[in-house]
Amino acid sequence: GDFNYGLMVMGTTADVVIGTPGNTNNTIISSHAQTAGTTAGKHLIVKGGNGVTGGSENINGGNLILKTGDGDGNGTAAMLFYTKTTAADASGERMRIHGNGKVGIGDAAPGTLLQLKGADAYLTLQNSTAENTNGGCETRLVFEDHGSNALGQIEISHVGTADDEKGQLVLSTNNDSGLQAALTISEAQLA
């Protein structure tokens, strides 16, 4: 079976390792085994160390580093994220980061660096700034080369200055002098 650990380590100066080498069982850290009645389950919060602010010091907090197990030879390890969506279902895999760096959302075997799979596999870019200016509230997809140079861009932005939802699409390419608008499609669908 699996091993469940309740762990509290405070004031230690050494790394804390849970589990033993060669252990063939999973190690589970749980915030609470089970609740009763109408009591919601407790959160499990994993947090890096706090930084220090005061005097002449302004120290960063500790990073939260999640690592899969190291392997030898051709072995790989992935990072899997599960959630539970309804009372009737068991928790299911929602996202996976493979050892090769490919990320699948709704896809356990992505073929590209980022792959979304599902009945509603939409990608939403939302500018949270409330601005009704011409070219304001823009969202962009930027395409760069190996030297971080923008080769092309797709931009959607507000058009005009009225408080409305009118938008325009601007396709830009780089002519070796930076991005230049190559095609603009207006809110009236005119190019």
Side-chain angles (χ1 to χ4, degrees):
D2 298 335
F3 287 112
N4 288 283
Y5 289 94
L7 177 67
M8 177 186 246
V9 179
M10 298 178 68
T12 182
T13 59
D15 292 341
V16 175
V17 178
I18 301 171
T20 57
N23 187 2
T24 59
N25 296 310
N26 294 322
T27 301
I28 298 172
I29 302 172
S30 177
S31 62
H32 195 277
Q34 184 174 348
T35 59
T38 59
T39 304
K42 298 298 179 186
H43 301 299
L44 173 62
I45 300 170
V46 180
K47 177 181 170 184
N50 293 336
V52 177
T53 302
S56 62
E57 297 176 351
N58 190 2
I59 308 300
N60 293 334
N63 295 327
L64 174 60
I65 301 171
L66 302 175
K67 296 174 83 173
T68 59
D70 296 329
D72 292 331
N74 294 326
T76 64
M79 190 174 292
L80 286 63
F81 297 83
Y82 281 67
T83 62
K84 182 172 173 49
T85 56
T86 68
D89 72 350
S91 62
E93 182 181 329
R94 307 299 178 219
M95 184 172 83
R96 176 182 295 222
I97 303 174
H98 280 267
N100 61 12
K102 293 181 180 177
V103 177
I105 299 175
D107 194 332
T112 57
L113 192 57
L114 173 62
Q115 185 163 326
L116 284 67
K117 181 179 180 180
D120 54 354
Y122 309 134
L123 179 62
T124 301
L125 304 178
Q126 181 180 12
N127 186 322
S128 61
T129 306
E131 57 184 353
N132 295 308
T133 58
N134 196 46
C137 209
E138 72 279 0
T139 56
R140 297 179 180 148
L141 288 176
V142 180
F143 303 88
E144 294 183 343
D145 68 5
H146 59 280
S148 299
N149 301 300
L151 302 177
Q153 176 177 281
I154 300 171
E155 178 181 302
I156 308 289
S157 62
H158 187 265
V159 64
T161 57
D163 186 2
D164 56 27
E165 294 81 42
K166 293 180 181 178
Q168 64 184 358
L169 166 68
V170 180
L171 301 177
S172 299
T173 57
N174 192 328
N175 64 358
D176 206 24
S177 296
L179 289 173
Q180 309 294 322
L183 173 64
T184 301
I185 300 176
S186 72
E187 78 282 7
Q189 289 77 49
L190 299 174

